[in-house]
Amino acid sequence: MFRLDWDSSEIETEILAVAPEMAPYFETFNGLRIMRSTCSTEIFFGFLCTPNNNLTRILQMARHLASYGAELAVVDGKRINRFPDVATIAAIPEADLRAKAFGYRAATIPSVAQQVLTRGEAWIESLKNVPFESAHAELCKLKGVGPKLADCIALFALHHMEAVPIDTHIWQAYVRLYRPEWKDKPITDSRYREAATFLRARFGNHGGWAQQYLFYDNMLNWRTRKE
DNA sequence: TCTCGACCTGAC
DNA sequence: TCAGGTCGAG
């Protein structure tokens, strides 16, 4: 889960050799790791909760989706459920999720699950065995999944370690470090592609690992950072 | 290819 | 006002 079989100092050394600007982030957040989930379905639908949303609500929504799965145990009075399979999520009525304050994602989450089902239950897992670019392209064909979610799913669910999801935080870090002339510019499709391509080229197979530091730093400091 | 507005909710 | 965005129209 925490990739303890990976030597983080070795990875940091390799990243620093090609991207010395990462040094202060490694010093500040020493020990930060990128997690390795064993359940691709959970990560897939977890990220479907994230668009245009905040972490507190994302957690509530992910927990609610989990409640549709088989009960594993009760710990300190709290039910622990296995994350449900794709078919279960595909069958959740939109009204149920609306009632749980899912907003417009009440429609998109079951819809994406239905699209996945038509590709077969093993489809998500199968994307682990194709090149990152192919997996990303396939994920983007789902209505409701754009380039950012595709990158998140590729990295965190499928373990394509070169993926660099450009969310609002990585976008701010990218502009600050590499593209100051784009300060305050919104992310368009083409800018997204440029940033993601640039960061993958710069960090190579450690793109996912490196972006975690930039993400966490910006997450902590974006409100107070003055330029 | 870019720009906009819409889309749910709730914390700050 | 804005969150770990995406879609459709123009």
Side-chain angles (χ1 to χ4, degrees), chain A residues 22-162:
Chain A
M22 293 300 291
Y25 300 94
F26 291 156
E27 285 167 23
T28 306
F29 304 114
N30 185 258
L32 189 66
R33 288 177 163 271
I34 185 155
M35 293 180 75
R36 175 172 55 197
S37 168
T38 54
C39 179
S40 54
T41 307
E42 177 178 9
I43 303 302
F44 184 97
F45 288 101
F47 275 110
L48 276 175
C49 299
T50 64
N52 198 16
N53 205 352
N54 61 73
L55 190 54
T56 309
R57 195 150 75 102
I58 291 166
L59 283 173
Q60 289 173 6
M61 291 165 67
R63 288 195 180 114
H64 184 256
L65 286 181
S67 73
Y68 289 88
E71 183 175 313
L72 290 174
V74 177
V75 179
D76 295 335
K78 289 182 182 171
R79 276 208 306 275
I80 308 292
N81 299 75
R82 186 182 298 287
F83 199 83
D85 58 19
V86 179
T88 303
I89 294 176
I92 301 174
E94 177 181 342
D96 288 12
L97 296 182
R98 288 267 174 192
K100 289 294 179 181
F102 271 55
Y104 59 84
R105 300 170 200 80
T108 57
I109 290 173
S111 158
V112 171
Q114 289 156 21
Q115 295 173 61
V116 171
L117 264 191
T118 66
R119 292 159 166 78
E121 278 276 357
W123 179 73
I124 295 179
E125 280 290 308
S126 76
L127 296 178
K128 286 181 177 174
N129 306 316
V130 303
F132 160 74
E133 289 77 9
S134 307
H136 191 269
E138 286 304 309
L139 289 165
C140 284
K141 289 178 184 171
L142 298 168
K143 190 182 167 193
V145 176
K148 191 271 182 179
L149 284 194
D151 273 318
C152 284
I153 293 163
L155 176 60
F156 292 101
L158 307 175
H159 314 316
H160 286 293
M161 298 305 291
E162 66 267 57

Side-chain angles (χ1 to χ4, degrees), chain A residues 183-203:
Chain A
K183 185 166 160 44
D184 297 327
K185 295 252 188 194
I187 312 181
T188 61
D189 270 356
S190 60
R191 288 198 199 106
Y192 186 103
R193 273 195 301 279
E194 184 196 298
T197 304
F198 174 90
L199 292 173
R200 280 199 303 277
R202 190 156 189 84
F203 299 130

